[in-house]
Amino acid sequence: MITCVGHMLGMELLSPLGGRVPVPTHLLYRAQDPLLVELLFHDPVYGPIPWVVSREPLARGMPAPSGEGDIRVWPTGTGPRALLHILPAPPDGSARLVAPLPALAHWLWRTYELVPAPRKADALDLDGRLDRFLEGLT
């Protein structure tokens, strides 16, 4: 049984001056944690830098601007050259990343095949977790 969906993606970090720095990124989605996706940015000096974000803002930001707080997402362009802009805002500053929208959309679609949006609460097994918690109290 498949429990995770991974994909390597060539993202780019946009500098304030307009330059672009390639950032190889490993996208990872685990069915055991259906609300989140992990992005591992591969830095040649520091190694992999993990960032965990909710899956929903990525999906909502593909057709139109979305997000607030720790992430904003918006598309530009159309067709195979379309880009998805991702603006994470960690506590120590922010960075603007761009990713090829078609490749990211395909990977995201595979995550929804694994755990569809309407069933994400089922994948969490909230009833089972609550039962185990309550049993521990007795």
Side-chain angles (χ1 to χ4, degrees):
M1 181 168 122
I2 296 174
T3 61
C4 68
V5 179
H7 182 70
M8 280 302 295
L9 186 66
M11 296 182 79
E12 293 178 319
L13 178 64
L14 298 181
S15 80
L17 301 175
R20 293 179 179 225
V21 177
V23 181
T25 305
H26 183 225
L27 307 171
L28 187 59
Y29 177 80
R30 295 177 185 91
Q32 304 90 305
D33 206 353
L35 302 178
L36 303 175
V37 297
E38 183 175 15
L39 288 78
L40 284 168
F41 304 113
H42 293 275
D43 183 281
V45 176
Y46 299 105
I49 300 168
W51 183 50
V52 178
V53 65
S54 173
R55 178 172 71 160
E56 284 186 43
L58 292 177
R60 283 184 305 203
M62 290 197 182
S66 174
E68 56 187 53
D70 65 345
I71 182 175
R72 290 189 335 199
V73 182
W74 68 95
T76 58
T78 59
R81 298 174 74 69
L83 296 173
L84 187 68
H85 296 255
I86 302 169
L87 185 64
D92 298 330
S94 66
R96 184 167 158 199
L97 298 156
V98 292
L101 195 146
L104 188 56
H106 179 72
W107 171 79
L108 201 59
W109 175 76
R110 290 175 48 217
T111 73
Y112 282 104
E113 281 187 322
L114 184 60
V115 180
R119 295 184 49 221
K120 66 184 173 189
D122 294 342
L124 284 173
D125 187 24
L126 295 177
D127 289 333
R129 288 183 184 192
L130 182 58
D131 288 343
R132 287 189 295 281
F133 174 75
L134 294 174
E135 288 171 7
L137 293 177
T138 59

